[in-house]
Amino acid sequence: MSETPAPPSLSARALAARPAPYLEGLNPAQRAAVEALEGPVLMLAGAGTGKTRALTARIAHLLSLGKARPNEILAVTFTNKAAREMKERLGRLLGESIEGLPWLGTFHAICVKLLRRHAELVGLKSNFTILDTDDQIRLLKQLILAENIDEKRWPARMLAGLIDGWKNRALTPEKVKGADAASFNNYGGELYTAYQARLRALNAVDFGDLLLHVVTIFQTHPDVLAQYQRWFRFILVDEYQDTNVAQYLWLRLLAQGHRNICCVGDDDQSIYGWRGAEVGNILRFEKDFPGATVIRLEQNYRSTEHILAAASGLIAANAGRLGKTLWTEAEGGAKVRLIGHWDGEEEARWIGDEVEAVQRGTRGADPVGLNGQAILVRASHQMRAFEDRFLTIGLPYRVIGGPRFYERQEIRDAMAYFRLAVSPEDDLAFERVVNVPKRGLGDKAVQTVQATAREDGTSLLEAARYVVASGRIGGKGAGQLRGFVEGVDRWHRAVRAGAPHEALAETILDESGYTAMWQADKSPEAPGRLENLKELIKALEQFENLQGFLEHVSLIMDNASEDAAEKVSIMTLHAAKGLEFPAVFLPGWEDGLFPSQRSMDEGGLKALEEERRLAYVGITRAEQLCTISFAGNRRVYGQWQSALPSRFIDELPAVHVEVLTPPGLYGGGYGAAARSAASSIEERAARADVYASPGWKRMQERAALRPMAQPRAARHMTIDLDAVSEFEPGARVFHQKFGYGTVLLTEGDKLSVAFDKAGEKKLLASFVVAASAADDVPF
Ligand code: ATP
Ligand code: MG
């Protein structure tokens, strides 16, 4: 692609004299994308070709040419982490801190800000609360029950999924028609309407509303839209292939005026179809914006040759794609490594050792620090094995986007208190903590408050105030409820008066008795919970006020720990989009887990292609070392399962793959299995031989000797441990803590045992031994 000359403006001449640092090293196509400032631009290119880098340089160019002020640039990234990184990169490029890019962030973060400014246009107040999934489900449950629908058959989660889907498609309740409205036992549309009304009454929104409301405002208030069309003079969007309909409409509305919109993406990396993303959006760009400049990049700067070739070979199996050629100057390097393990624990053990080996530089490459290494999993339940193993060997790690700190009970309770202090009418927060710690309020007292609120159309707090004053409830509970109401009033006044928020947060937890509740608790978890509460107060430091903090928490999709210490990262493949690491581990490549059986059951071939794109995203995160592994047995939600190596392993071009033989007695079998799987690209039929290998047979013999999964050449076989359990009802067993007991019932791998001293317990069979053997067990 030839270089497009910059317009000969004064500042451009100045730039030509001393090339701007952000233009240095860009290839001609990237430079063209940076310099084509006016009009629509689409950069459609493969992984690691420098799309994000060019997009960042474009912002730097706009700023340094004075084409736009920082607040006139709207830049959308996919995660908060990506937004942070882009800000840092810009700071480095421009040699100054760029505090002033207020509109660089995720769709959600940007929409929160817009909605706070115009909340009244959709019937909300500007201090609306953002509900998390838990609150949302609770609310939906109430509505389902109110309709007398059997929540067991028609669960709230299912309704939440439907509503989310409609919001992703920018459908307000009025627009949900036909089969959609008739879904959920005919109540879909009706419940959606009721839910939106209830949210409005609570002055609350859910995640999907953030976009939906803003799109609605833009569609119904042309004056507001026009104001932002003028305001955001340049629009830039990263990872455009993953926008859903609502996001697409939002962008199109904003860009219609000046048409200065630059979108970058890769159709091969579209991985959010399951959440409503439409890869068609990127393919339609030239139709939406006629005359668009389309730029394709082909040089990959991230990965070495074999890694890139393996990824390209894999994605070639997808039918619905534009198809691109990628090349790299980084010739040679390590092949993609493939290794098979007996089970998930062994895989975690091996990866733990390997991370340390890579860190020491004993893997034929330069040493790679922990920050440069990542483990990318398909399903978050895979993370636990790694966390456990790394804790055991003292390997520092961070989990990104995993089970989050903010989802723990004590944190959610504390946050409910903070939410009440900020918005006293937050009924969900009120319900959560009115009796935590116990305030002597029985169900009846709470029902009285709820009924009063319904009758009077007020918030629960107001209702509680009235109920206490009018003596509708009496006794000890009344006094404590009065104390609670007065507390919330006091805290709210303090928030409004701008009291220092960290001190206030601590006061709230003390005055409410919440901290004391955990101090008095003698359970083993209590000290940890108190630690977490301290952490929470610490986290507040970085924010200006409580509201800013609450907003942040509702928005974080990734909880990358901020400290600079070297740590290996564990995250899902979805969370790894756009990132890069010198060394990447991709565990769990087994059919059923990856590609995910659940996705394929729901989405068929389309879903399989999305899974393959996810594999492509995974491999292309690696710069120098990419290691794929699979295990023959895995414990998933308490059940042993055995599986075949992933079909994606078959699809990797064998010449770019090196098969490793795992250490240990039984590993050889999987080494052979892996070798056979990898080399079978031409001889797929030979794959069946995997299960005829001597190693595999040895493992079968071993499996027969112990109560464990029986590997079989069948897909997704769930093995019931009961079949091999030695315990029958009536058997005498011994448990380390509970002592001797008698088995009452066996249920899968669980037992009900009547212990002689400790009473009846349910536990995993593997935690007890036969009573006769108890003397021999070295506990
Ligand atoms: P993805 O599709 O995974 O999001 P991307 O196309 O956004 O990838 P970047 O993350 O922008 O790619 O770039 C990949 C790597 O290549 C980065 O480390 C980046 O700094 C580097 N890079 C990009 N362009 C160049 C260039 N012209 N010269 C040298 N390095 C480059
Ligand atoms: Mg990118």
Side-chain angles (χ1 to χ4, degrees):
M1 181 150 310
S2 69
E3 199 170 319
T4 321
S9 68
L10 243 188
S11 32
R13 275 209 300 277
L15 278 172
R18 193 171 58 82
Y22 54 83
L23 291 177
E24 263 166 40
L26 292 186
N27 64 38
Q30 286 176 319
R31 209 169 153 149
V34 171
E35 291 179 336
L37 292 180
E38 314 272 335
V41 176
L42 174 68
M43 220 188 303
L44 184 58
T49 50
K51 298 183 295 296
T52 304
R53 175 155 165 182
L55 200 75
T56 314
R58 200 177 151 91
I59 300 178
H61 199 49
L62 284 169
L63 290 173
S64 67
L65 285 187
K67 286 265 181 195
R69 287 191 296 267
N71 62 357
E72 292 171 334
I73 295 176
L74 174 67
V76 189
T77 58
F78 209 77
T79 60
N80 292 302
K81 188 171 157 60
R84 268 198 310 274
E85 279 178 6
M86 201 175 273
K87 280 191 187 177
E88 279 166 23
R89 264 207 230 179
L90 274 170
R92 279 198 301 276
L93 285 175
L94 296 173
E96 59 199 81
S97 98
I98 41 104
E99 285 307 306
L101 267 178
W103 301 103
L104 189 163
T106 62
F107 280 106
H108 287 118
I110 292 168
C111 282
V112 176
K113 281 200 203 171
L114 292 173
L115 193 54
R116 292 239 185 258
R117 290 160 169 246
H118 303 286
E120 74 289 350
L121 298 181
V122 282
L124 293 165
K125 283 186 267 174
S126 69
N127 66 343
F128 59 81
T129 314
I130 306 167
L131 298 192
D132 57 22
T133 321
D134 239 42
D135 289 336
Q136 189 191 0
I137 298 290
R138 212 138 40 94
L139 202 59
L140 287 173
K141 245 183 214 162
Q142 290 174 4
L143 296 173
I144 291 171
L145 290 177
E147 289 282 359
N148 282 323
I149 301 172
D150 180 3
E151 211 263 330
K152 287 216 172 59
R153 279 191 58 202
W154 300 97
R157 282 193 184 279
M158 179 178 167
L159 182 58
L162 286 170
I163 292 181
D164 206 45
W166 294 327
K167 290 186 175 174
N168 286 338
R169 281 154 55 204
L171 297 177
T172 47
E174 316 72 78
K175 291 190 193 142
V176 172
K177 301 245 159 72
D180 274 346
S183 58
F184 206 75
N185 201 20
N186 261 330
Y187 284 93
E190 207 176 300
L191 284 168
Y192 181 25
T193 309
Y195 173 64
Q196 291 304 91
R198 188 87 182 93
L199 285 176
R200 220 159 255 147
L202 288 167
N203 192 30
V205 300
D206 65 17
F207 242 63
D209 278 337
L210 293 174
L211 261 141
L212 181 69
H213 283 326
V214 175
V215 168
T216 308
I217 292 171
F218 284 170
Q219 285 172 333
T220 52
H221 294 81
D223 49 325
V224 176
L225 174 63
Q227 176 197 335
Y228 286 105
Q229 284 176 338
R230 279 194 303 275
W231 190 331
F232 298 133
R233 298 184 43 220
F234 292 91
I235 301 177
L236 303 96
V237 190
D238 201 359
E239 308 277 3
Y240 188 61
Q241 77 279 359
D242 278 324
T243 46
N244 61 33
V245 173
Q247 292 163 337
Y248 167 80
L249 283 176
W250 185 87
L251 285 169
R252 233 181 45 176
L253 285 166
L254 280 173
Q256 253 158 15
H258 49 61
R259 304 200 332 141
N260 293 331
I261 180 166
C262 172
C263 294
V264 318
D266 176 6
D267 58 315
D268 285 336
Q269 294 184 67
S270 153
I271 54 177
Y272 280 94
W274 56 285
R275 239 167 50 181
E278 298 265 345
V279 66
N281 292 345
I282 198 166
L283 305 177
R284 203 169 35 227
F285 189 86
E286 286 179 82
K287 276 211 195 93
D288 288 337
F289 297 100
T293 310
V294 180
I295 291 171
R296 294 183 198 276
L297 309 173
E298 296 194 332
Q299 179 171 4
N300 172 296
Y301 292 93
R302 179 180 294 146
S303 314
T304 48
E305 195 183 358
H306 289 300
I307 296 175
L308 191 61
S312 301
L314 176 77
I315 197 67
N318 268 9
R321 63 190 289 260
L322 293 175
K324 320 179 193 66
T325 332
L326 289 183
W327 61 277
T328 171
E329 275 176 359
E331 283 169 22
K335 291 187 176 184
V336 169
R337 306 184 311 159
L338 175 67
I339 184 165
H341 299 283
W342 163 258
D343 64 14
E345 310 297 314
E346 190 178 298
E347 181 182 53
R349 215 163 29 238
W350 185 81
I351 289 182
D353 293 348
E354 200 60 16
V355 165
E356 292 183 330
V358 172
Q359 190 186 16
R360 287 194 304 272
T362 51
R363 283 297 174 265
D366 292 337
V368 177
L370 295 182
N371 280 347
Q373 302 195 46
I375 293 150
L376 311 181
V377 298
R378 172 65 184 90
S380 50
H381 67 72
Q382 287 173 264
M383 291 181 182
R384 193 207 47 82
F386 295 102
E387 289 196 59
D388 281 0
R389 181 63 193 162
F390 296 173
L391 283 172
T392 311
I393 60 175
L395 186 68
Y397 70 89
R398 62 170 69 87
V399 172
I400 295 178
R404 299 171 208 185
F405 179 75
Y406 294 108
E407 278 161 13
R408 298 175 191 180
Q409 181 194 340
E410 64 279 13
I411 301 303
R412 296 171 52 84
D413 288 343
M415 303 259 299
Y417 274 108
F418 301 163
R419 275 162 53 185
L420 272 179
V422 171
S423 344
E425 69 272 26
D426 187 333
D427 284 358
L428 295 168
F430 180 100
E431 278 179 356
R432 183 170 181 106
V433 293
V434 63
N435 217 8
V436 181
K438 290 256 176 300
R439 295 197 170 85
L441 297 170
D443 283 350
K444 208 153 156 254
V446 175
Q447 278 160 13
T448 309
V449 173
Q450 283 167 335
T452 311
R454 259 199 312 277
E455 277 160 32
D456 298 352
T458 63
S459 68
L460 290 175
L461 187 82
E462 287 312 314
R465 195 192 310 283
Y466 174 72
V467 161
V468 172
S470 62
R472 282 215 205 166
I473 58 171
K476 199 164 142 243
Q480 294 216 30
L481 187 57
R482 176 179 297 119
F484 178 73
V485 173
E486 286 169 0
V488 175
D489 288 346
R490 203 165 49 245
W491 307 325
H492 184 56
R493 277 199 303 275
V495 167
R496 297 187 50 160
H501 63 292
E502 288 161 67
L504 175 61
E506 225 165 347
T507 309
I508 293 175
L509 296 183
D510 284 343
E511 287 188 354
S512 61
Y514 192 72
T515 310
M517 178 184 99
W518 287 118
Q519 279 162 345
D521 193 315
K522 292 285 168 274
S523 71
E525 307 93 64
R529 295 194 196 268
L530 287 164
E531 286 285 306
N532 288 341
L533 290 173
K534 280 202 197 121
E535 265 304 302
L536 178 68
I537 305 284
K538 223 162 68 193
L540 286 169
E541 271 173 31
Q542 300 162 17
F543 296 86
E544 248 172 62
N545 51 37
L546 276 183
Q547 179 164 336
F549 173 71
L550 292 173
E551 200 153 90
H552 162 82
V553 175
S554 354
L555 285 174
I556 39 172
M557 290 183 236
D558 43 15
N559 64 342
S561 72
E562 302 291 340
D563 62 273
E566 285 273 322
K567 287 175 183 171
V568 55
S569 301
I570 309 176
M571 68 187 95
T572 61
L573 287 160
H574 282 100
K577 206 163 66 135
L579 306 182
E580 56 190 16
F581 301 89
V584 167
F585 292 89
L586 302 169
W589 280 43
E590 295 128 37
D591 257 11
L593 180 55
F594 192 38
S596 144
Q597 188 62 42
R598 184 141 53 99
S599 304
M600 290 192 299
D601 288 346
E602 281 165 20
L605 187 63
K606 228 174 126 195
L608 175 64
E609 295 213 332
E610 180 150 318
E611 294 284 308
R612 194 177 281 115
R613 290 194 290 270
L614 199 51
Y616 174 77
V617 167
I619 298 173
T620 54
R621 298 310 94 198
E623 293 168 12
Q624 296 156 25
L625 200 61
C626 175
T627 310
I628 294 173
S629 58
F630 62 91
N633 300 283
R634 200 175 283 283
R635 211 179 162 86
V636 180
Y637 299 121
Q639 298 274 359
W640 280 102
Q641 297 186 350
S642 66
L644 287 173
S646 169
R647 65 190 78 185
F648 296 153
I649 289 178
D650 267 4
E651 294 169 5
L652 296 170
V655 285
H656 301 293
V657 176
E658 178 196 2
V659 178
L660 306 181
T661 311
L665 191 55
Y666 296 101
Y670 273 109
R675 244 189 314 281
S676 150
S679 62
S680 61
I681 190 102
E682 298 89 16
E683 26 167 338
R684 263 166 210 241
R687 193 155 74 116
D689 287 347
V690 171
Y691 296 93
S693 73
W696 184 269
K697 286 203 178 115
R698 259 205 321 272
M699 279 188 294
Q700 278 186 310
E701 284 157 23
R702 180 196 186 199
L705 291 178
R706 54 185 237 185
M708 207 180 178
Q710 181 88 28
R712 287 190 214 146
R715 270 183 197 174
H716 329 301
M717 183 71 79
T718 302
I719 292 14
D720 186 352
L721 267 190
D722 205 18
V724 285
S725 167
E726 56 188 300
F727 304 118
E728 301 269 323
R732 291 286 290 166
V733 293
F734 176 82
H735 182 274
Q736 186 186 8
K737 192 160 146 212
F738 305 131
Y740 289 92
T742 306
V743 175
L744 296 175
L745 210 80
T746 60
E747 205 182 309
D749 56 348
K750 287 188 217 71
L751 299 178
S752 287
V753 180
F755 286 101
D756 301 349
K757 296 221 168 72
E760 196 178 323
K761 307 267 177 210
K762 266 202 169 154
L763 29 76
L764 284 176
S766 50
F767 287 167
V768 299
V769 295
S772 55
D775 296 341
D776 303 323
V777 178
F779 282 118

